């Protein structure tokens, strides 16, 4: 992990830094670039524009690590409301529901938001209810992957719920040493997997610190998922890697309908559009809600130049 990335992730956890970032107008343009708004309606409005542009959406209600069972239950109620509201969107109404993976709008949620810190069984029961609700709408629920403290439990919980409800899947992070085994596991079970490089601050004992090694792992694991996975999602903004994987798809005659690229709202829109033009499925991760701070700082850490530009201007004023 680069030093700059590590500094941003560590310092953003300090309360005074959070207070400055939340209050300063200098951060506002970046916040609004990465986050669709505070409300579900704002995120639906943003999503409708993206759908018209030929891309699909996964909607994320921002927030993580609930502090009480009541908080977790309130988050799960919001997930159910999201699924109900999504079901009213024109593109969803017109969608042929038997097309696996092609749901125009699905949701991405976090197990710590379902109450994982309050208990594994509690969180699993809450998550199961959300997936059951999604199944009634023929929709899909993705469990985002959080820090390595949760990886094992996330893989276990998702694979248990999947045996009952195949309309769910999760995310694997290529920076983790364990990830080769997890990729094998997801392929064997047929669980829909989104592959990412990984966004959390992790020690070298669990994650590769060198970017080149993470990139190498990512490419090899993406190729395996593209060949043998169940509708994998290749989630990256790395244009070199995307190019290499598109060449791999062409030369191995892999069906473009059998997987999707995923990218974050506000990052590399040019690349998102050119992939659609080339006939690839592209899904945009659209986060909304007022709990945007942790998500936002992970985005800053991925591109330290953004953060340092703003900090320089903070001290000029
Ligand atoms: C759809 C989606 C879902 C994700 N879900 C998870 C998850 O559940 N768990 C998890 O740990 N991580 C998740 N991530 C984040 C992921 O782990 C990476 O941190 C993030 O995608 C940046 O890595 P990269 O693959 O784009 O490659 P990088 O090598 O970081 O970036 C490649 C290029 O992309 C552009 N870029 C990347 N990030 C930014 C940015 N923030 N601002 C501006 N330009 C940027 C730059 O041009 C950069 O050179 C998700 C990412 C995506 C796209």
């Amino acid at each position: 992990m680069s030093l700059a990335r590590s500094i941003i992730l560590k310092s953003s956890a300090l309360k005074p830094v959070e207070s400055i970032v939340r209050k300063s107008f200098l951060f506002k343009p970046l916040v609004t670039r990465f986050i669709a708004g505070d409300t579900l309606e704002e995120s639906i409005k943003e999503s409708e524009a993206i759908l018209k542009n030929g891309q699909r959406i996964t909607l994320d209600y921002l927030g993580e690590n609930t502090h009480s069972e009541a908080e977790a239950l309130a988050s799960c109620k919001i997930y159910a409301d999201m699924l109900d509201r999504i079901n009213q969107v024109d593109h969803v109404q017109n969608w042929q529901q038997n097309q696996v993976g092609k749901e125009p709008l699905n949701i991405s949620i976090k197990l710590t938001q379902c109450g994982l810190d309050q208990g594994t069984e509690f969180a699993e029961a809450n998550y199961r209810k959300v997936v059951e609700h999604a199944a009634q709408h023929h929709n899909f629920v993705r469990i985002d992957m959080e820090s390595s403290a949760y990886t094992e439990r996330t893989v276990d919980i998702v694979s248990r719920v999947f045996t009952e409800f195949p309309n769910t899947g999760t995310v694997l992070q290529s920076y983790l040493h364990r990830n080769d085994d997890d990729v094998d596991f997801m392929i064997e079970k047929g669980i829909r997997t989104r592959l990412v490089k990984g966004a959390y601050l992790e020690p070298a004992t669990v994650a590769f610190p060198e970017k080149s090694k993470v990139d190498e792992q990512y490419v090899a694991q993406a190729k395996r998922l593209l060949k043998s996975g169940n509708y994998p999602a290749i989630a990256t903004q790395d244009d070199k890697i995307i190019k290499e994987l598109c060449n791999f798809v062409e030369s191995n005659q892999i069906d473009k309908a059998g997987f999707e690229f995923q990218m974050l709202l506000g990052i590399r829109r040019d690349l998102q559009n050119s992939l659609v033009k080339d006939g690839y499925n592209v899904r945009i991760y659209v986060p909304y809600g007022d709990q945007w701070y942790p998500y936002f700082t992970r985005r800053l850490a991925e591109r330290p130049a953004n953060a340092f530009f703003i900090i320089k201007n903070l001290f000029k004023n």
Side-chain angles (χ1 to χ4, degrees):
M1 170 177 299
S2 80
L3 182 62
R5 189 167 165 231
S6 162
I7 291 171
I8 292 172
L9 287 173
K10 277 189 186 142
S11 57
S12 63
L14 304 171
K15 282 287 163 205
V17 175
E18 175 170 350
S19 171
I20 292 172
V21 174
R22 280 186 181 279
K23 284 183 196 144
S24 171
F25 71 93
L26 287 169
F27 284 92
K28 193 95 186 144
L30 264 188
V31 174
T32 52
R33 184 177 134 198
F34 292 143
I35 289 136
D38 282 350
T39 66
L40 176 58
E41 277 319 305
E42 284 171 292
S43 73
I44 294 287
K45 201 169 159 217
E46 178 91 44
S47 300
E48 284 175 329
I50 296 170
L51 287 165
K52 279 198 191 116
N53 204 25
Q55 290 138 356
R56 302 188 183 117
I57 316 284
T58 186
L59 215 56
D60 165 42
Y61 166 60
L62 290 164
E64 35 209 84
N65 296 90
T66 54
H67 299 99
S68 67
E69 292 195 352
E71 232 181 83
L73 292 172
S75 296
C76 291
K77 163 83 175 71
I78 290 174
Y79 293 154
D81 292 346
M82 286 164 76
L83 289 162
D84 292 341
R85 179 64 184 89
I86 284 172
N87 206 42
Q88 295 163 3
V89 171
D90 285 348
H91 270 83
V92 178
Q93 298 265 311
N94 298 331
W95 158 58
Q96 291 168 337
Q97 293 172 338
N98 57 356
Q99 295 174 297
V100 175
K102 300 221 166 167
E103 58 284 337
L105 267 153
N106 62 32
I107 65 171
S108 288
I109 73 174
K110 290 188 171 56
L111 281 179
T112 62
Q113 216 176 0
C114 294
L116 193 51
D117 291 342
Q118 283 70 55
T120 303
E121 280 179 24
F122 174 68
E124 183 171 335
N126 291 337
Y127 157 48
R128 183 177 278 107
K129 275 190 211 141
V130 176
V131 178
E132 194 174 357
H133 194 85
Q136 286 158 11
H137 289 314
H138 305 277
N139 211 330
F140 176 83
V141 178
R142 172 99 52 193
I143 294 289
D144 284 341
M145 190 57 85
E146 302 179 70
S147 74
S148 61
Y150 300 106
T151 312
E152 185 78 28
R153 280 176 285 170
T154 302
V155 169
D156 288 350
I157 293 173
V158 171
S159 60
R160 275 198 294 273
V161 172
F162 175 82
T163 56
E164 238 178 295
F165 296 102
N167 61 315
T168 193
T170 191
V171 179
L172 294 180
Q173 299 155 320
S174 292
Y175 65 7
L176 294 183
H177 296 157
R178 58 174 284 158
N179 208 47
D180 266 332
D181 292 342
D182 288 337
V183 168
D184 285 343
F185 179 78
M186 295 298 167
I187 289 175
E188 189 200 311
K189 298 273 175 198
I191 299 176
R192 267 169 73 175
T193 301
R194 171 199 298 152
L195 188 69
V196 300
K197 289 186 189 174
Y200 293 80
L201 188 62
E202 299 288 358
T205 46
V206 294
F208 297 106
E210 315 84 15
K211 180 171 163 39
S212 56
K213 178 68 186 171
V214 177
D215 288 356
E216 185 190 311
Q217 289 278 110
Y218 188 92
V219 170
Q221 291 165 355
K223 287 180 178 173
R224 275 164 54 212
L225 282 165
L226 284 167
K227 275 208 140 173
S228 318
N230 174 16
Y231 197 77
I234 307 302
T236 179
Q237 284 89 209
D238 190 322
D239 48 6
K240 274 201 211 102
I241 288 184
I242 289 175
K243 199 162 176 228
E244 179 171 351
L245 294 176
C246 288
N247 290 338
F248 178 78
V249 165
E250 294 288 335
S251 56
N252 287 275
Q253 295 173 332
I254 292 168
D255 184 1
K256 283 181 181 172
F259 71 97
E260 65 189 19
F261 284 109
Q262 292 191 354
M263 294 194 207
L264 300 173
L265 180 70
I267 301 179
R268 295 299 313 262
R269 289 189 194 116
D270 56 331
L271 196 53
Q272 299 170 2
N273 291 334
S274 75
L275 284 168
V276 171
K277 241 171 65 202
D278 291 343
Y280 291 99
N281 296 318
V282 176
R283 190 178 295 277
I284 310 299
Y285 188 100
V286 175
Y288 80 95
D290 56 8
Q291 299 298 310
W292 48 264
Y293 184 74
Y295 176 89
F296 179 69
T297 56
R298 289 197 290 274
R299 301 297 75 83
L300 283 186
E302 284 153 7
R303 197 118 195 266
N306 285 338
F308 292 135
F309 177 76
I310 296 169
I311 290 162
K312 218 171 77 196
N313 282 290
L314 267 178
F315 288 105
K316 265 194 200 160
N317 295 321

